[in-house]
Amino acid sequence: MHKTLEEIRKLPEGIIKAQKAFEDFTAKYDFKLPREILFTGCGSSHFLSQLLAMATTHLGGRGVALPCSEILYSRKYYPVGNPQLLVAISRSGETTEALRVLDETDLPKLGIAAYDSNLLAKSDYALLVDTPEESVVMTHSFPAFLFAFQQLLNYSFEMPLYDAERLSELSMEVLKNEEYIRGIVEEFDFRNVIFLGSGILYPVALEAALKMKEMAIFWSEAYPTFEVRHGFKSVADEGTLVVLLVDEPFDWHEKLTKEFKGQGARVLTVGKENTGADYFVKIPGPSIPESTALYLSVIQLLSYYKAVKRGFNPDSPRFLSKVVKW
Amino acid sequence: MHKTLEEIRKLPEGIIKAQKAFEDFTAKYDFKLPREILFTGCGSSHFLSQLLAMATTHLGGRGVALPCSEILYSRKYYPVGNPQLLVAISRSGETTEALRVLDETDLPKLGIAAYDSNLLAKSDYALLVDTPEESVVMTHSFPAFLFAFQQLLNYSFEMPLYDAERLSELSMEVLKNEEYIRGIVEEFDFRNVIFLGSGILYPVALEAALKMKEMAIFWSEAYPTFEVRHGFKSVADEGTLVVLLVDEPFDWHEKLTKEFKGQGARVLTVGKENTGADYFVKIPGPSIPESTALYLSVIQLLSYYKAVKRGFNPDSPRFLSKVVKW
């Protein structure tokens, strides 16, 4: 079996490990997150940093996320504000650009990685989430990092903690859709895919599009949900799958679904209820942001099966390496 | 001749009209832009609002840009701060979502449009840039709006004004590359295109990818320049054109160019100097942000000729309308 599939399926234990990482962190450091935080990462870790920034802002803080290279070379164009902490994310903890940002930033630093690494060594506070992966592509460690940080946010901002055991069980329930998702890919040989999400589900859509590129070397796009009507939707036709990530749909989501079907596209809705789509995967349990991690397995499985269908080996995509260096 | 091509070629007069719009505005209102501004728009107007936000931040202000629908439905996830002004952009001035944001926002409002419209009527300050367009797709009005607002920024923040006559002349020089750009499209029948830009050239890359989708119904992508190495580059091969927008290249740009050529892709560099690319279009005159408007014609021409090559009518793309309503 592909390592990638094994690792996607590890989310239930990933959430438990994330809880452990959070507990180890609070046992080790007498530290609470400040209100204003600058987040950074590259690729998937950048989308993760967008998620963490949004979770921070949602709780009344101010989270800003920038890709490492934009901090290094174009920072003057971004409203960074006056952060009291830099949070840097890298699965390997060895990404050149992330290490450089740490070296060049004069702020307290919190690093998040899956390995004892230079990133953690250079950080004042190390959040080590024990979810190593053999595949090139980041899968279950992404929602695990997210959950560990969400707990740290709840703890720091004096909000009730999430129930890790329960979320882990819910993630098992979501993973039961594997055959259904595989079936969509088998039945509909789509030529491109558009992921849509609003708010904290927008970076999930971005990460979904990236997974699809990495694993399936495939035409994939992502937009803030209703932005797609402003020009982007021209590329959607009978060869297109639209994946609508939505926690609490309202009438515009149904209209949008109908509009895409009118263009010949098929729609997969992932969320609390169907919007009149051709396909539907239910995300059980609490609302976003708590349930955000659960959306990730669905889009990872979709990319995985598309890769297999297209004859690619998702474990080692062409032109990519596990750690990006300069 | 297609309206779209006529309108792309109107940039030199568009810049003069933008200067006039700025002068009319300052004659009419005793008003200077505040330091903290929230910008909004949809589609191209959202990318334009990102440009204006970056130009604001670059001058020491704090500009935040959000798509209209994200303000309406997911604002709690974004670090909006405490803006003293809302700037709303819509070419037609009749976009449903933009009008809604105006209705629901309790801030002083500045509207930017090419027509006397509801957007301007609902605004406390109306910046009317007289660059109407018959085509569905926004072309020369985009850099014209940008330039008018840049002048207003310079004026408000007490910086020297840009030289409109000179920029207009430089834009004629850039438009002389039309045959060269058409030649690239004729010679290389690329299957997908990736636009790269950092800082204020990143929204230009995003707008380029949107133009390509709208006009040529085509697989196009955009990333902050060095982010592309983090997974996204897997889709680049002998069928790919990479368009590198860069004002002041350094060694990483040359390495990146080489890396893409190593994957079989061809690279078009647009900027001050070639990075070792297969194709090169020089942007003359001042550096960014002043010269930002000049980059737009190049990417518009590229999309236009790709559309023609693919047999599409860029004046009226499928599934799209000139004004997006709900």
Side-chain angles (χ1 to χ4, degrees), chain B:
Chain B
M1 192 199 293
H2 286 124
K3 292 288 168 202
T4 307
L5 183 57
E6 273 177 38
E7 287 162 5
I8 292 171
R9 289 177 177 168
K10 278 185 181 172
L11 181 58
E13 72 177 80
I15 291 171
I16 300 302
K17 285 180 168 181
Q19 175 70 17
K20 173 90 169 45
F22 156 68
E23 288 169 5
D24 290 350
F25 183 93
T26 50
K28 184 170 174 190
Y29 305 108
D30 179 21
F31 170 80
K32 290 196 171 184
L33 293 168
R35 292 271 147 186
E36 285 209 32
I37 307 176
L38 175 61
F39 296 86
T40 196
C42 306
S44 284
S45 292
H46 169 54
F47 298 141
L48 182 50
S49 77
Q50 285 186 282
L51 284 174
L52 305 190
M54 286 186 176
T56 304
T57 303
H58 181 255
L59 284 186
R62 183 168 180 276
V64 171
L66 288 180
C68 297
S69 57
E70 291 296 279
I71 293 186
L72 291 172
Y73 298 116
S74 295
R75 183 168 170 158
K76 63 188 172 188
Y77 289 105
Y78 294 96
V80 172
N82 296 300
Q84 295 118 25
L85 181 73
L86 173 74
V87 172
I89 308 164
S90 161
R91 181 180 61 170
S92 67
E94 303 296 347
T95 310
T96 305
E97 286 147 272
L99 297 178
R100 264 226 206 156
V101 171
L102 286 183
D103 286 340
E104 295 186 10
T105 306
D106 194 21
L107 278 174
K109 293 158 187 110
L110 189 156
I112 312 179
Y115 301 88
D116 244 324
S117 52
N118 276 311
L119 184 99
L120 296 188
K122 283 174 189 284
S123 297
D124 304 287
Y125 309 98
L127 181 55
L128 174 63
V129 185
D130 181 28
T131 49
E133 290 174 344
E134 288 185 51
S135 169
V136 166
V137 177
M138 188 174 189
T139 55
H140 84 302
S141 63
F142 185 106
F145 285 19
L146 168 64
F147 186 74
F149 193 85
Q150 283 182 304
Q151 291 293 63
L152 187 55
L153 268 176
N154 288 331
Y155 165 81
S156 301
F157 289 15
E158 287 166 14
M159 302 293 290
L161 290 181
Y162 296 155
D163 184 340
E165 290 288 345
R166 168 115 173 90
L167 201 74
S168 176
E169 280 161 25
L170 291 171
S171 74
M172 283 179 220
E173 220 173 289
V174 172
L175 283 168
K176 284 185 187 144
N177 290 289
E178 184 174 331
E179 275 310 304
Y180 179 71
I181 293 164
R182 179 196 188 129
I184 297 172
V185 172
E186 281 306 319
E187 174 187 300
F188 179 31
D189 192 18
F190 49 94
R191 181 185 45 87
N192 61 359
V193 55
I194 302 175
F195 295 95
L196 302 174
S198 177
I200 203 162
L201 293 178
Y202 172 49
V204 174
L206 288 165
E207 169 65 2
L210 175 54
K211 288 295 87 124
M212 199 54 96
K213 282 178 220 299
E214 288 179 322
M215 292 194 216
I217 322 290
F218 195 65
W219 178 1
S220 56
E221 322 210 346
Y223 303 103
T225 305
F226 300 118
E227 268 293 277
V228 75
R229 296 181 72 240
H230 296 275
F232 310 99
K233 69 172 180 154
S234 67
V235 300
D237 56 25
E238 44 293 314
T240 305
L241 178 66
V242 176
V243 181
L244 179 56
L245 310 170
V246 55
D247 207 58
E248 286 177 12
F250 53 91
D251 58 333
W252 279 20
H253 294 96
E254 279 162 33
K255 280 190 199 171
L256 189 64
T257 302
K258 206 175 276 178
E259 195 168 324
F260 275 119
K261 287 167 100 172
Q263 293 184 201
R266 297 196 206 173
V267 181
L268 159 62
T269 295
V270 183
K272 290 275 173 288
E273 37 179 299
N274 199 339
T275 60
D278 304 274
Y279 307 107
F280 175 58
V281 172
K282 189 171 172 65
I283 300 297
S287 296
I288 52 166
E290 185 168 353
S291 61
T292 310
L294 302 178
Y295 285 80
L296 271 308
S297 312
V298 178
I299 59 91
Q300 290 169 0
L301 286 168
L302 189 71
S303 298
Y304 172 77
Y305 281 109
K306 187 67 180 178
V308 171
K309 167 99 174 169
R310 280 168 57 78
F312 290 111
N313 176 0
D315 284 353
S316 52
R318 68 175 189 180
F319 307 137
L320 301 184
S321 53
K322 215 175 145 185
V323 183
V324 178
K325 300 201 174 189
W326 276 94

Side-chain angles (χ1 to χ4, degrees), chain A residues 86-297:
Chain A
L86 173 74
V87 173
I89 308 163
S90 162
R91 180 179 61 172
S92 67
E94 303 296 347
T95 310
T96 305
E97 286 148 273
L99 297 178
R100 264 225 207 158
V101 171
L102 287 182
D103 286 339
E104 296 186 10
T105 307
D106 193 21
L107 279 174
K109 294 160 188 106
L110 189 156
I112 312 179
Y115 301 87
D116 244 323
S117 52
N118 276 311
L119 184 98
L120 297 187
K122 283 173 189 284
S123 297
D124 304 287
Y125 309 97
L127 180 55
L128 173 64
V129 185
D130 180 30
T131 49
E133 290 174 343
E134 287 185 51
S135 168
V136 166
V137 177
M138 187 174 188
T139 56
H140 85 303
S141 63
F142 185 106
F145 285 19
L146 169 64
F147 185 76
F149 194 84
Q150 283 182 305
Q151 291 292 62
L152 186 56
L153 267 175
N154 288 330
Y155 165 81
S156 301
F157 288 16
E158 287 167 14
M159 303 293 291
L161 290 182
Y162 296 155
D163 183 340
E165 290 286 345
R166 168 112 174 92
L167 201 75
S168 176
E169 281 161 24
L170 290 171
S171 75
M172 284 180 217
E173 219 174 290
V174 172
L175 284 168
K176 285 185 188 146
N177 289 288
E178 184 174 330
E179 275 309 305
Y180 179 72
I181 292 164
R182 179 196 188 130
I184 297 172
V185 172
E186 281 304 319
E187 174 187 300
F188 178 31
D189 192 17
F190 50 94
R191 181 184 46 86
N192 61 359
V193 56
I194 302 175
F195 295 94
L196 302 174
S198 177
I200 203 163
L201 293 178
Y202 173 48
V204 174
L206 288 165
E207 168 66 2
L210 175 53
K211 288 295 89 126
M212 199 54 95
K213 283 178 220 299
E214 289 178 323
M215 291 193 216
I217 322 291
F218 194 64
W219 178 359
S220 56
E221 322 210 345
Y223 303 103
T225 305
F226 300 119
E227 269 293 278
V228 76
R229 296 181 72 240
H230 297 274
F232 311 99
K233 68 172 181 154
S234 67
V235 300
D237 57 23
E238 42 293 313
T240 306
L241 178 67
V242 176
V243 182
L244 180 56
L245 310 170
V246 54
D247 205 58
E248 285 179 12
F250 53 90
D251 57 335
W252 280 19
H253 293 96
E254 279 163 31
K255 281 189 196 170
L256 189 65
T257 302
K258 207 176 275 177
E259 197 167 322
F260 275 119
K261 287 167 101 173
Q263 292 184 201
R266 296 197 206 173
V267 181
L268 159 62
T269 295
V270 182
K272 289 274 174 288
E273 35 179 301
N274 199 339
T275 61
D278 303 275
Y279 307 107
F280 176 58
V281 172
K282 189 171 174 61
I283 300 297
S287 296
I288 52 168
E290 184 168 353
S291 61
T292 310
L294 302 179
Y295 286 80
L296 271 308
S297 312

Side-chain angles (χ1 to χ4, degrees), chain A residues 46-65:
Chain A
H46 170 54
F47 298 141
L48 182 52
S49 77
Q50 286 186 282
L51 284 175
L52 305 190
M54 286 187 175
T56 303
T57 303
H58 182 256
L59 284 186
R62 184 166 180 279
V64 170

